[in-house]
Amino acid sequence: MTIDEIIAGKNPEALPDGHFIDGRFRRASDARMMESYDPGRAEAFASFTNGTADDVDEAVDSARRAFSGVWRDVAPAERGRILFRAAALLREEGERFAVIESLDSGKPLSEARGDVRGAARAFEYYAGATDKLQGDSFPLARGYLGFSLHEPMGVSAQIIPWNFPISTAARSIAPALAAGCAVVAKPAEQTPFTALLLAELLSRAGLPNGVCNVVTGTGAATGAPLVAHPGIDQITFTGSVATGQSVMRSAADHVTRLVLELGGKSPVIVLADCDREAAITGVLGAIFENAGQICSAGSRLVIERSIHDDFVAELVKRAEAFRIGHGLRDPDFGPLNSKAHLQKVSGFVDAARKRGVTVLTGGETTCDPESGKGWFYKPTIIDDAAATDDLVREEIFGPVLTVQIAEDAAHALALANDCRYGLVAGVYTSNIANALKLARDIDAGQIFINEYFAGGIELPFGGNKLSGFGREKGIEGMLSYSKTKSIAIKL
Ligand code: NAI
Ligand code: MG
């Protein structure tokens, strides 16, 4: 089937419409179905199951059985071999995953391809780590020995958002499996398909039945019973602050450990001595990649006054030249993920316009020029925004960049830290000492110097303040799925 046929409305393949439980797709005969939309043309293209608490019970039971009956006894090196095979399969079948990811989420095909490669990379990284999570030994008095073990937590519940469906699923499923945990994942109701396909792929890679289960459905019907389930030992949640708080409250009932990744309002500091071209490209990518629907988007440009006018004029010129279109046509810039989200983003800007903010470009909805359809919002740049304005303070999660003007590096730091979030930050300067001072003093979980989004699965990722707690990626990400046991012996 060609991309044009898919854009015209043909379902790309028979997509699964049931949960993936105990190694196979299953749909209850009385299942309540929902539809997933293609944001590029604002039309439904495939249906899936809105799971119930009973479905969640089944998935958790399946994971519990697989954890204690099979998976925790599989040698770490063998776990690694299975994860390596999954990574290889994901690379082989990458195009199929990328097309479905682009169609379901709206993101440009090249970005979806990058996400799938990143997902495969996460499986490779943690495949190589399965047999390297070593314990420690401790200096006790003569006559004693003390050492520690890392044991798998058990069953991990993973709540996945719609902005990076396959990569968020991979970055939590891979380390959980590597650490010896079983998983029940719930993808977002806007983008359920690639997580289902990933679970099926893991099965073909040799993962025993029940070790990785996926239940689909809304947050209320499926997500809430999953995170409240007494059979869950650990929760990884990525999404909004409000939902994260409700997940945290629910986790408190069973004292379930959790990792919360709750988004941000990340600053990109651009100092006068930066490499101008690198900074312009970096700032545009930071806010307009995936149409700004990135928890770590660089949504606040903090720029030194002496270069502001020329720099911002160039940003506007390039943002206006973006090719906008359906994700599968691989444009520079795709749609927002849902109608509700489009309304949320435009509501933010409309309210700000009434307050008199300067909208340099964008600030309105648009559509796919080929079809006249879709949920698009133009790349938007707001100049000289006050630190107290809602546009600067709230996570918009869309293609809206606010510009704040700084007198010098110290002022830039103060503006950057004047924020309730602390996920990531970018710094552009050719003075490495200044860059490192800013990196030290910015309150965020990850700092990118001279290339926004630099790094990969090797680097711990996660937030401070309202952005959450716990770290994903890196070896630290795997430790989120293990618990330390220390053992003391009298000789
Ligand atoms: P959300 O936080 O409600 O949804 C994220 C995930 O949580 C979805 O899978 C959803 O089904 C699930 N969920 C919802 N309620 C739940 C509950 N009570 N228990 C368990 N799981 C539940 O976010 P939503 O409504 O999709 O987007 C709202 C805003 O959240 C966005 O505008 C954006 O600002 C932020 N967001 C941040 C993300 C990030 O990467 N940190 C990702 C998605 C959204
Ligand atoms: Mg969709």
Side-chain angles (χ1 to χ4, degrees), residues 62-309:
S62 151
R64 288 231 72 83
R65 280 195 309 274
F67 170 66
S68 51
V70 185
W71 192 233
R72 74 173 163 198
D73 297 327
V74 172
E78 177 57 17
R79 292 205 294 262
R81 280 189 284 271
I82 294 170
L83 298 185
F84 272 126
R85 278 199 294 274
L89 277 175
L90 198 46
R91 285 192 193 281
E92 274 167 37
E93 299 174 21
E95 189 62 12
R96 171 178 166 240
F97 275 80
V99 166
I100 293 163
E101 188 81 330
S102 168
L103 180 64
D104 206 5
S105 69
K107 66 175 63 197
L109 187 54
S110 298
E111 291 184 26
R113 286 180 180 134
D115 292 355
V116 175
R117 281 195 301 274
R121 175 74 193 118
F123 278 97
E124 276 162 13
Y125 178 83
Y126 288 110
T130 52
D131 52 356
K132 295 170 192 70
L133 205 57
Q134 295 166 180
D136 216 337
S137 66
F138 306 95
L140 299 178
R142 195 168 164 78
Y144 297 88
L145 277 181
F147 64 97
S148 64
L149 305 173
H150 293 294
E151 296 182 334
M153 289 262 185
V155 176
S156 167
Q158 311 194 336
I159 305 288
I160 316 287
W162 43 262
N163 56 331
F164 283 89
I166 183 94
S167 38
T168 312
R171 84 172 180 210
S172 47
I173 291 174
L177 299 180
C181 290
V183 170
V184 180
K186 193 208 79 70
E189 55 270 39
Q190 296 84 353
T191 53
F193 294 112
T194 46
L196 288 168
L197 296 176
L198 178 63
E200 190 267 341
L201 178 146
L202 281 162
S203 222
R204 282 189 279 129
L207 193 72
N209 290 347
V211 179
C212 181
N213 307 274
V214 173
V215 287
T216 55
T218 63
T222 323
L226 176 59
V227 297
H229 201 291
I232 294 298
D233 302 296
Q234 188 276 346
I235 299 167
T236 295
F237 172 83
T238 305
S240 62
V241 175
T243 305
Q245 288 168 325
S246 115
V247 168
M248 195 172 167
R249 279 187 207 102
S250 153
D253 285 344
H254 303 291
V255 196
T256 313
R257 294 163 225 234
L258 76 165
V259 172
L260 290 180
E261 205 271 85
L262 304 181
K265 192 71 188 177
S266 300
V268 189
I269 296 179
V270 174
L271 298 181
D273 63 357
C274 69
D275 173 336
R276 182 175 181 274
E277 184 54 34
I280 287 170
T281 320
V283 168
L284 288 169
I287 185 62
F288 296 131
E289 204 176 287
N290 201 22
Q293 302 163 112
I294 307 187
C295 48
S296 50
S299 49
R300 294 189 292 139
L301 169 61
V302 179
I303 186 163
E304 256 191 297
R305 186 180 295 281
S306 60
I307 58 165
H308 163 274
D309 293 358

